[in-house]
Amino acid sequence: MSRSVGTVVRVDLDDIAARLAVPVEEVERVHRLAADRPSAPLPAVTDAPALLDRLGVPPDDAAEIIAGWPTPEITAGRPGPEAIAGWPGPEAIAGRPGPEASGWTPELRWLLDRSIALVRADLGGHGWLPPGPVLPRERGPAWRHLYAYAYLALVDVVLGYHRDHGVAEAASWATLADLGRNLAIDRRMRGEGWPVMQSWLTLHVRGGLYQLGRLQHHRGDGAVELHIPDAGPLTPEAVADSLDQGRAFFPRHFPDESYREFVCGSWLLDPQLAEYLPAESNIVRFQRRFELEPYQPPEGLDPDVEVLRFVFRTLSTPLDRLPRRTALQRAVVDHLAAGRHWHWRRGRFPL
Ligand SMILES: CC(C)(COP(=O)(O)OP(=O)(O)OC[C@H]1O[C@@H](n2cnc3c(N)ncnc32)[C@H](O)[C@@H]1OP(=O)(O)O)[C@@H](O)C(=O)NCCC(=O)NCCS
């Protein structure tokens, strides 16, 4: 199906979906949500190493991302009657590898541009937002890192949003450096981590979430949602410090929003963990802060899978081949091997 966008640009969504090897509904969604909203440029490739370093991106990923960086030759298109704004012209730039050679096919370029616009259009939002379809990432760096490039293009945009809210630069960079942590996890998980991460990371570049000390604080409706990044032990002191930071942060930087409580939804709040872990463990002590909501199986999420994700960083290793080095690892495997299941629990406590 061909869609007219404005007067000069025609977009064949079926064709784009086929070339991206993704369902057409997902391409239609990007097209609809991004509409003709503005995108944002990527920084110059010469600024990339310093930026990636600041965002905690590990060397392996930084090298790949820099190698596939969409240069201005790739992003500068020659819009014509059948072209999409931002698509490269067919003759590319004489003497340089064409965009196709670097992996940036026209439909990938379209998706990058529109994905940035889609996320940017919701600047200040705090819901989970898929930035586009899950791509066949094994096709090369442009495919593998497309949503990382979108994130990088939005760094300047969200820094502006943070400045408008008086957020200190240190908090901005601490927040945005979750990109590097997530890329490292995805590499450790051999690509199994990214489908969740591509939606998760849109929170950071829309100003929806802030890393304040040990915890990430996520703006919500009347409640600050807490997330626990994989960043060392969850000591009670570090948690208390982070909560205090959150209590001061939101009235100061988002005075129009009113927060009454902290909430959290996590496998870490499953009381069954206390059957296995000592009462003085950090996880059990964290649990004690919360009043749990009645148990309801979550929709669209398998808690057993999530526990494997966070404890072992693999979803494909058979139970009997998983390591048993820590009390938690043994608990997770023994519980599942006994035919029991883990629960995803939600809890809250006053702010
Ligand atoms: C949350 C987290 C920081 C807690 O770690 P912690 O502070 O060490 O927790 P505890 O003190 O309660 O640990 C109790 C035992 O479990 C082990 N353990 C805790 N988290 C573990 C993990 N993710 N993987 C393997 N073992 C873990 C500890 O080593 C300890 O075992 P030991 O006594 O044999 O050494 C850690 O689990 C983590 O980083 N998880 C990943 C992020 C996450 O799950 N976020 C929530 C998403 S919803």
Side-chain angles (χ1 to χ4, degrees), residues 6-304:
T7 50
V8 294
V9 179
R10 287 172 68 77
V11 184
D12 185 335
L13 301 181
D14 279 328
D15 188 49
I16 291 176
R19 288 170 188 271
L20 292 175
V22 301
V24 69
E25 297 73 34
E26 301 204 23
V27 172
E28 284 170 351
R29 174 183 166 276
V30 172
H31 182 56
R32 188 176 67 250
L33 293 182
D36 54 359
R37 306 294 293 265
S39 187
L42 266 120
V45 67
T46 44
D47 294 333
L51 177 62
L52 293 170
D53 187 48
R54 213 161 180 191
L55 295 175
V57 176
D60 287 354
D61 289 301
E64 255 179 44
I65 289 171
I66 291 168
W69 199 262
T71 61
E73 292 86 59
I74 290 170
T75 54
R78 289 190 324 124
E82 293 298 314
I84 295 169
W87 281 32
E91 71 289 284
I93 306 293
R96 292 177 190 255
E100 305 265 353
S102 66
W104 284 101
T105 61
E107 53 281 358
L108 272 186
R109 174 60 208 144
W110 176 86
L111 181 61
L112 175 62
D113 182 72
R114 293 297 82 203
S115 174
I116 295 168
L118 179 162
V119 177
R120 185 176 188 174
D122 194 41
L123 185 66
H126 45 69
W128 283 68
L129 180 70
V134 174
L135 295 173
R137 299 173 69 230
E138 67 289 350
R139 289 190 179 181
W143 298 79
R144 179 167 158 78
H145 291 302
L146 187 127
Y147 296 111
Y149 292 117
Y151 187 100
L152 295 166
L154 288 162
V155 164
D156 255 0
V157 174
V158 77
L159 287 175
Y161 179 85
H162 286 179
R163 271 195 302 275
D164 289 347
H165 284 269
V167 173
E169 250 201 63
S172 297
W173 289 107
T175 299
L176 294 172
D178 206 32
L179 176 69
R181 191 184 290 129
N182 278 270
L183 286 168
I185 290 170
D186 183 59
R187 187 171 285 271
R188 215 177 126 192
M189 292 186 71
R190 299 168 197 274
E192 285 179 325
W194 195 259
V196 182
M197 293 170 185
Q198 70 186 39
S199 296
W200 164 248
L201 288 167
T202 69
L203 290 167
H204 308 54
V205 288
R206 284 178 292 143
L209 174 143
Y210 296 87
Q211 170 110 30
L212 305 173
R214 181 64 186 85
L215 305 173
Q216 288 155 326
H217 296 238
H218 178 178
R219 291 167 43 228
D221 295 321
V224 173
E225 174 126 24
L226 299 172
H227 302 275
I228 304 96
D230 193 339
L234 190 64
T235 63
E237 297 74 26
V239 172
D241 170 73
S242 179
L243 297 177
D244 282 345
Q245 288 193 44
R247 289 179 183 111
F249 183 89
F250 290 98
R252 187 180 307 145
H253 303 295
F254 293 91
D256 297 341
E257 298 177 5
S258 143
Y259 292 110
R260 295 176 299 281
E261 53 188 2
F262 288 113
V263 300
C264 180
S266 178
W267 66 275
L268 289 168
L269 297 188
D270 185 345
Q272 299 179 104
L273 285 164
E275 294 177 28
Y276 302 90
L277 299 179
E280 71 279 7
S281 67
N282 289 334
I283 292 174
V284 174
R285 292 170 79 175
F286 184 67
Q287 290 188 342
R288 275 192 222 122
R289 292 181 177 273
F290 292 85
E291 185 183 326
L292 291 185
E293 293 175 7
Y295 179 59
Q296 273 193 326
E299 273 177 37
L301 180 134
D302 179 343
D304 291 340

